[in-house]
Amino acid sequence: MFARIGQLARHLSRPFPHYAHPSATLATRPAISGTIMSSAAATEDRGTRMIHTAGCIIIGDEVLGGKTVDTNSAHFAKYCFLLGMQLKRVEVIGDDEAEIVEATRRMSENYDFVVTSGGIGPTHDDITYESIAKAFRLPLKLHDETVKRMKALSKPHPSQKNFSWDVPSPALDAKLRMARLPIDESRDIENQVLFVDESLWVPISVVNGNVHILPGVPRLFTQLLDGLKPLLLPRLENPEGEGVYRILFSTPLAESEVAGYLTMLAAEVEPKGVKVGSYPRWGKKRNSVTLVGKDKEYMESLVPQVEKGVDGIRIEREEDADESEDEGEGS
């Protein structure tokens, strides 16, 4: 909580970009070789440069309406942490073309690696492909390899006993809807449609170099992200994908009791890339304090100091230090 308040204060102190006028963002973009990069060159750059930041867009009226509980953003947050990417933003939006267009353009501009989740099924309200195509002025093209893999790896629903890939039908049209992808015909298509798991026909469609379109089904979302990992590792600061560390402490003190010490600690360590976090655990006697950063040796050197400062102990899991189920003070 302590870290989150600090982040909010820093965020609010920054001027807000004016996205309504193109010159507002163009004026702040760095020139390359003395000129602004062409659209094609910028797209290639986004698809090959080092990855430091990430964004996630969860798309679906069913999420906003409470029918479906989003677990994909939580999985993606852990995925980014383990790979050393800084997840900067998660947004949940509906199946609304204007919302999808605005969010994908903005996130593609602001972050190195962007994923979307949801809205790529066979029904009328699955509009993610067509909306993102519109966002970047691309046509939707029937992707032959996706159709080929769909035929080989998917089976008709038991209710579709008369379904045929060779006979036109509404069901066939609906299936082929999932294979019409945003394609930039000026670029190598192999970099725009990725098959990262041989057991799945579903591709990862990559648009504008850094927007990765994934399904909303949690099993498919996680499986495709896992398959994508080998392609991302060479673009990370640490090729082994082990760039961020978290050290966890348990303290019997209330957050208000340790706030003063944590303020001083944050001022000391944040310039060195280490963030300090404080988290109440309602219903428990002990609260949690964390250090998160990339300099493991420096973080380890802080452990004795932090243990003393919060009158606590280092733990591996929050549950390890629970002493009672009685409710303790949380703030």
Side-chain angles (χ1 to χ4, degrees), residues 4-37:
R4 294 194 295 274
I5 293 174
Q7 292 168 358
L8 178 60
R10 288 192 296 274
H11 176 72
L12 291 176
S13 67
R14 300 169 183 161
F16 290 97
H18 181 40
Y19 292 109
H21 197 289
S23 63
T25 52
L26 284 174
T28 61
R29 293 176 191 167
I32 293 185
S33 300
T35 60
I36 298 296
M37 286 191 297

Side-chain angles (χ1 to χ4, degrees), residues 24-282:
T25 52
L26 284 174
T28 61
R29 293 176 191 167
I32 293 185
S33 300
T35 60
I36 298 296
M37 286 191 297
S38 70
S39 177
T43 299
E44 291 298 332
D45 176 65
R46 278 187 288 269
T48 57
R49 67 191 179 196
M50 296 295 288
I51 297 174
H52 302 284
T53 59
C56 177
I57 307 171
I58 305 297
I59 301 170
D61 290 343
E62 67 276 12
V63 178
L64 290 175
K67 179 180 181 297
T68 299
V69 176
D70 165 47
T71 59
N72 289 344
S73 61
H75 177 83
F76 185 63
K78 294 176 183 177
Y79 182 86
C80 290
F81 184 88
L82 291 174
L83 292 180
M85 293 185 283
Q86 187 176 7
L87 179 58
K88 301 290 286 185
R89 181 176 292 272
V90 173
E91 293 186 12
V92 182
I93 61 178
D95 297 300
D96 181 282
E97 181 182 272
E99 292 275 352
I100 297 170
V101 167
E102 188 279 329
T104 51
R105 283 179 179 169
R106 172 168 41 82
M107 286 214 187
S108 179
E109 177 71 20
N110 291 343
Y111 309 124
D112 300 321
F113 178 67
V114 179
V115 301
T116 73
S117 163
I120 61 171
T123 59
H124 72 283
D125 58 343
D126 291 306
I127 61 170
T128 296
Y129 282 144
E130 61 190 81
S131 298
I132 294 180
K134 183 173 182 178
F136 299 101
R137 299 179 177 86
L138 299 175
L140 284 177
K141 296 287 187 178
L142 188 65
H143 188 247
D144 292 339
E145 181 62 22
T146 298
V147 175
K148 179 180 177 182
R149 292 172 66 93
M150 187 189 297
K151 290 180 179 180
L153 296 174
S154 69
K155 296 180 180 179
H157 189 271
S159 65
Q160 298 176 310
K161 295 180 180 180
N162 297 321
F163 175 80
S164 171
W165 289 102
D166 302 315
V167 178
S169 67
L172 177 59
D173 291 342
K175 288 181 181 292
L176 294 181
R177 180 185 177 92
M178 297 184 286
R180 290 190 169 88
L181 311 177
I183 299 295
D184 184 343
E185 295 176 311
S186 69
R187 301 178 55 237
D188 185 351
I189 196 168
E190 291 185 0
N191 296 326
Q192 300 180 64
V193 185
L194 307 178
F195 294 101
V196 298
D197 190 311
E198 289 303 315
S199 68
L200 300 175
W201 66 263
V202 185
I204 297 177
S205 175
V206 184
V207 179
N208 208 39
N210 65 347
V211 177
H212 300 71
I213 306 173
L214 277 71
V217 178
R219 180 182 66 83
L220 299 179
F221 182 85
T222 57
Q223 196 168 338
L224 288 171
L225 275 181
D226 288 344
L228 185 62
K229 181 178 176 181
L231 300 180
L232 300 180
L233 291 180
R235 298 172 58 196
L236 303 176
E237 287 186 36
N238 185 329
E240 299 301 320
E242 298 176 354
V244 181
Y245 302 94
R246 178 186 285 120
I247 297 179
L248 181 64
F249 300 87
S250 177
T251 173
L253 304 180
E255 280 198 302
S256 54
E257 184 70 21
V258 298
Y261 168 71
L262 295 182
T263 298
M264 293 186 293
L265 178 65
E268 174 188 346
V269 305
E270 287 192 0
K272 299 180 180 180
V274 177
K275 290 192 174 183
V276 180
S278 175
Y279 305 95
R281 303 183 65 231
W282 300 105

